[in-house]
Amino acid sequence: PERAREADGEPVATQDRAEELPLTAVKGVGPARFDRLIELGIDSIEELAAASGELVARALANNSLKVANDLIKAAGQLLEEQKGDSRG
C-alpha cells in the first residue's frame, strides 16, 4: 500500500506498531469487551495498559478486578513486545 504523504510530498512519519494494533489484539479483549472499553473512553492499547483495574473492571460483565488486572497486564506485555520488535 502507498504511504500517506504530507502536503510537501514527504512521507508521514509512521507510528509505533502498538498504536496501529486494535484493542482486540490484547489477549482477552473480544468484540464485547472492546465495545465496553470504548464506552469507558479506553480506545488504545496504551490507554488500557495505563488504566486502573477498577476502571477496567467496570467494562467487564462480571466486574472482576482480577480479570481487569489481567487485561491491563496483557496490554503492557504487548506494548513491551512491540517496543522490542521496533528496536530490531
Side-chain angles (χ1 to χ4, degrees), residues 38-66:
I38 294 296
E39 288 172 9
L40 286 174
I42 297 172
D43 63 1
S44 70
I45 294 171
E46 290 81 1
E47 287 178 357
L48 178 56
S52 71
E54 292 79 13
L55 176 64
V56 175
R58 287 187 225 154
L60 306 177
N62 61 2
N63 208 32
S64 169
L65 188 56
K66 181 195 179 313

